[in-house]
Amino acid sequence: MDIYVWSLLFLIIFMLHNLEEIITIERWFHKTYPQVRDRIPSFVQKELKNYQDTTSAQFAVVVFVFSIFTSALVMISALTQYDYLFLGVNLLFALNIFTHPLQALYLKSYTPGVITSVLLIIPYYSLFFYHFYNTDLFALNSIIGALVVIIVLIPIFLLSHRIGEKWSKS
């Protein structure tokens, strides 16, 4: 498959996954979280307490800001053939492969993002890793470049959360 097709697939799956989270996050915190809170380790509860009052609108701002950067990197990669940009975005997003399903299994309940993780993200990455394993995308220089992209995206992700917090207060 061509990098343009992979880029398009990634963007569609990325947006659908984020849409599921946006739609379900607020209700999950109000309805499900109180029921499963005791199953969550205390150090995780402390972190979740910061997000307990997150609204769907606030989370949508977070997703919007972060999506601008990730989508731009994917498009730049497709246009310039700087494949390490695409690989970096994909490796960061690949953390969702098991995060949501493992959370759902551990809590024995639905968690925001689990449906698209199981139905879209796991199949996408099964194909992605199979396809690109045999190409030069997984060359050492691409992996190093991808790690730099991940390091750059982490502060952008944190910044998107700050913007979402400030937006909700205004």
Side-chain angles (χ1 to χ4, degrees), residues 139-158:
L140 182 60
N141 61 340
S142 292
I143 293 171
I144 292 170
L147 292 174
V148 170
V149 170
I150 291 169
I151 291 168
V152 168
L153 283 175
I154 290 171
I156 292 170
F157 178 74
L158 297 173

Side-chain angles (χ1 to χ4, degrees), residues 56-74:
S56 292
Q58 180 181 349
F59 192 71
V61 171
V62 172
V63 168
F64 176 73
V65 171
F66 192 65
S67 295
I68 289 171
F69 289 98
T70 55
S71 298
L73 287 175
V74 169

Side-chain angles (χ1 to χ4, degrees), residues 69-86:
F69 289 98
T70 55
S71 298
L73 287 175
V74 169
M75 290 185 340
I76 291 168
S77 173
L79 295 173
T80 64
Q81 302 301 310
Y82 292 144
D83 294 338
Y84 68 92
L85 296 172
F86 186 62

Side-chain angles (χ1 to χ4, degrees), residues 12-163:
I12 290 168
I13 290 168
F14 181 71
M15 295 304 168
L16 288 173
H17 176 73
N18 288 330
L19 185 61
E20 178 191 0
E21 290 180 321
I22 289 167
I23 292 169
T24 61
I25 190 84
E26 191 172 350
R27 180 177 170 86
W28 186 87
F29 267 117
H30 291 298
K31 301 278 184 184
T32 307
Y33 179 68
Q35 297 171 356
V36 299
R37 183 179 344 191
D38 294 338
R39 291 185 229 154
I40 299 172
S42 59
F43 71 94
V44 177
Q45 282 185 35
K46 287 179 186 176
E47 186 63 29
L48 284 175
K49 191 172 186 164
N50 297 332
Y51 300 105
Q52 193 169 337
D53 296 325
T54 300
T55 64
S56 292
Q58 180 181 349
F59 192 71
V61 171
V62 172
V63 168
F64 176 73
V65 171
F66 192 65
S67 295
I68 289 171
F69 289 98
T70 55
S71 298
L73 287 175
V74 169
M75 290 185 340
I76 291 168
S77 173
L79 295 173
T80 64
Q81 302 301 310
Y82 292 144
D83 294 338
Y84 68 92
L85 296 172
F86 186 62
L87 180 60
V89 170
N90 267 276
L91 291 177
L92 183 63
F93 189 61
L95 296 174
N96 279 314
I97 292 174
F98 298 110
T99 304
H100 295 294
L102 288 176
Q103 289 169 346
L105 287 172
Y106 181 76
L107 296 175
K108 297 177 183 152
S109 71
Y110 171 83
T111 56
V114 72
I115 294 171
T116 51
S117 291
V118 171
L119 297 179
L120 298 175
I121 296 172
I122 291 173
Y124 169 83
Y125 278 109
S126 297
L127 293 172
F128 176 84
F129 288 121
Y130 175 79
H131 179 77
F132 285 109
Y133 178 76
N134 297 318
T135 68
D136 59 350
L137 184 66
F138 285 119
L140 182 60
N141 61 340
S142 292
I143 293 171
I144 292 170
L147 292 174
V148 170
V149 170
I150 291 169
I151 291 168
V152 168
L153 283 175
I154 290 171
I156 292 170
F157 178 74
L158 297 173
L159 175 66
S160 69
H161 277 277
R162 297 241 187 223
I163 293 170

